[in-house]
Amino acid sequence: MSLPHVLLGVLEARPMSGYELTQLFGASTRWVWSAPQSQIYPALKKMEENGLIQGEEQQRGTRMTRTVYTITDAGLSELKEWIGTPLPIPPSRDALEVQALYFDLVPAESAKRVLKEFISEQEEALDHAEAHQARLLAKDTELLRERMTKRPPDQHDRMARLKAHVFAGHAAMARTRIAWAQEGLRLLDDAN
Amino acid sequence: MSLPHVLLGVLEARPMSGYELTQLFGASTRWVWSAPQSQIYPALKKMEENGLIQGEEQQRGTRMTRTVYTITDAGLSELKEWIGTPLPIPPSRDALEVQALYFDLVPAESAKRVLKEFISEQEEALDHAEAHQARLLAKDTELLRERMTKRPPDQHDRMARLKAHVFAGHAAMARTRIAWAQEGLRLLDDAN
DNA sequence: CGCACCATGTAAAAGGTTACATGATTGA
DNA sequence: TCAATCATGTAACCTTTTACATGGTGCG
């Protein structure tokens, strides 16, 4: 039940088309949420039916139209209510943990290959999170600027710090995971 | 594609019925994987069709039967291959992070309520992970004992340490998340 | 003209959740 | 006899993934 709320959160910054949203959510494992295009267009339609957003058709060139969606008052209050609602803990389902649980069944080399690949992915995630955190603290992202224009300047610092904190968390998690995997490499090397 | 492998991993310890497996995977958000009963029975059937496990019907009382599944050689090699295969990074999809990204839209009190609930869940997870880690290091869990009976004693320490390491990771992640949420509480309290 | 990008959809399948349904056994 | 637990399934629904499908626009 979260995708609509994530979309509302983005549209709170400014109106966007389905295409723009697919770019944001697409491919990049890097942002806080990911969703393919095939999920986004139907979601937008349903949200419009429910009155959470309002689509406006715009002409592009002669015979191409794009629909730009704006969050409605109803959408904004739905979003605010959701943000303040404690959600049920999602069930844990981490395949790497399962693999690690059974590392004793395979040659140390195989297990180490899995961990090393994981470490390099997490290092990339760490870099990305730190970079984004810095950009937010510097108030140097497009969406944050859009959001700030609608709010009194004395709130801008707090907005930036709260958003940066999410990516600080991302980074901290990546560091913890890397340390865990490195300890795993050490354990695998230990003579039995 | 992971549920069958998780089931294989458990059945590597000893043969079990669908019922026993549902107990293990049930409800408890606490173990490494969770799955409802309605997923487990069909999965077992399919795995038997694929020759990964072998079911044996046992009589219970007069007119009740249970099917106990044993991992086959094919199942064991499938499991081992999977354990050594680096898996694609799952897309990030953490609803709390999305909420936190928009905490500036709601009263600090609402946001703090969400974080506090999260902290107490994570504290519980932390306790559980530490306890399980200790139990594994002490070689004091039923399944680990079963597994050790099939392996030379000089491997037992390594088995226990590798499995304990998974829960050490769980614990480390919980600690990181708690620290993150506490920093969030501080930021929310900061005057704008 | 051709290529990169803009723009929007549908369909099929897989994975997961919740609810419904049924009955036997064990022990207090 | 009553309740807790043992034991196994199906059905409907929702979410997510992968793939297919189509065409316009802008620029070099």
Side-chain angles (χ1 to χ4, degrees):
Chain A
M1 282 292 293
S2 298
L3 178 59
H5 296 105
V6 183
L7 291 168
L8 287 175
V10 174
L11 293 176
E12 191 272 331
R14 67 169 164 81
M16 282 191 199
S17 67
Y19 183 76
E20 274 183 285
L21 289 163
T22 55
Q23 301 303 97
L24 248 188
F25 286 75
S28 70
T29 317
R30 346 192 95 171
W31 203 57
V32 287
W33 203 268
S34 96
Q37 169 252 50
S38 63
Q39 225 186 334
I40 289 174
Y41 285 105
L44 289 170
K45 279 213 167 157
K46 208 173 174 190
M47 288 162 72
E48 188 174 21
E49 276 170 38
N50 297 342
L52 301 173
I53 56 178
Q54 165 83 50
E56 189 210 351
E57 300 231 327
Q58 291 184 349
Q59 289 301 311
R60 295 273 291 167
T62 344
R63 81 206 83 188
M64 208 178 175
T65 55
R66 76 171 152 197
T67 308
V68 173
Y69 293 95
T70 307
I71 192 168
T72 62
D73 289 346
L76 192 56
S77 40
E78 171 60 34
L79 175 61
K80 287 178 179 171
E81 214 218 286
W82 180 80
I83 292 167
T85 306
L87 302 171
I89 341 90
S92 61
R93 204 168 282 126
D94 183 330
L96 177 65
E97 280 184 17
V98 178
Q99 291 180 308
L101 207 47
Y102 303 128
F103 273 169
D104 62 281
L105 291 175
V106 301
E109 283 317 309
S110 310
K112 285 168 71 177
R113 205 159 15 88
V114 171
L115 287 180
K116 280 174 184 165
E117 183 133 337
F118 177 72
I119 288 172
S120 68
E121 285 161 5
Q122 291 297 310
E123 277 168 348
E124 214 188 310
L126 174 57
D127 287 349
H128 186 268
E130 283 176 339
H132 202 62
Q133 183 192 4
R135 248 176 283 135
L136 283 165
L137 282 177
K139 302 185 185 102
D140 191 26
T141 83
E142 193 226 321
L143 284 187
L144 179 57
R145 274 195 302 267
E146 307 264 14
R147 288 182 208 274
M148 288 187 304
T149 60
K150 296 189 282 184
R151 311 274 288 280
D154 65 328
Q155 288 182 20
H156 292 185
D157 275 357
R158 187 170 181 269
M159 290 170 69
R161 269 183 278 129
L162 283 173
K163 279 178 212 303
H165 179 242
V166 173
F167 293 89
H170 248 64
M173 298 290 287
R175 267 181 235 112
T176 301
R177 289 200 188 97
I178 289 167
W180 171 80
Q182 277 164 346
E183 174 67 14
L185 290 175
R186 249 167 281 146
L187 282 176
L188 286 163
D189 268 336
D190 267 14
N192 28 321
Chain B
M1 283 292 293
S2 298
L3 178 59
H5 296 105
V6 183
L7 291 168
L8 287 175
V10 174
L11 293 176
E12 191 271 333
R14 66 169 164 81
M16 283 193 200
S17 66
Y19 184 77
E20 274 183 286
L21 289 163
T22 55
Q23 301 304 98
L24 248 188
F25 286 75
S28 69
T29 318
R30 346 193 93 170
W31 203 56
V32 286
W33 203 268
S34 96
Q37 170 252 48
S38 61
Q39 228 187 331
I40 289 173
Y41 286 105
L44 290 170
K45 280 213 167 156
K46 208 174 174 190
M47 289 163 72
E48 188 173 23
E49 277 169 37
N50 297 341
L52 301 173
I53 57 178
Q54 165 84 50
E56 189 210 352
E57 300 230 328
Q58 291 184 349
Q59 289 301 311
R60 296 272 294 167
T62 345
R63 81 206 83 188
M64 208 178 175
T65 57
R66 78 172 152 196
T67 308
V68 172
Y69 293 95
T70 307
I71 193 169
T72 62
D73 289 346
L76 192 55
S77 39
E78 171 61 34
L79 175 62
K80 286 177 180 172
E81 215 218 285
W82 179 82
I83 292 167
T85 305
L87 302 171
I89 341 89
S92 62
R93 204 169 282 126
D94 182 330
L96 177 64
E97 279 183 17
V98 178
Q99 292 180 306
L101 207 48
Y102 303 128
F103 273 169
D104 62 282
L105 292 174
V106 301
E109 283 317 309
S110 309
K112 284 167 71 177
R113 206 159 14 90
V114 171
L115 287 180
K116 281 174 183 164
E117 183 133 336
F118 178 71
I119 288 171
S120 69
E121 284 161 6
Q122 290 298 311
E123 277 169 348
E124 214 189 309
L126 174 57
D127 287 349
H128 186 268
E130 283 176 339
H132 202 62
Q133 182 193 4
R135 248 176 282 135
L136 283 165
L137 283 177
K139 303 185 184 102
D140 192 26
T141 82
E142 194 225 322
L143 284 187
L144 178 57
R145 274 194 301 266
E146 307 265 13
R147 289 182 208 274
M148 289 188 302
T149 61
K150 296 189 280 184
R151 312 273 289 280
D154 65 327
Q155 289 182 19
H156 292 185
D157 274 358
R158 187 171 182 268
M159 291 170 68
R161 269 183 278 128
L162 283 173
K163 278 178 212 303
H165 179 243
V166 173
F167 293 90
H170 249 63
M173 296 292 290
R175 268 181 235 113
T176 301
R177 290 200 188 97
I178 290 168
W180 171 80
Q182 277 164 345
E183 174 66 14
L185 290 175
R186 250 167 281 146
L187 282 175
L188 285 163
D189 268 335
D190 267 14
N192 24 324

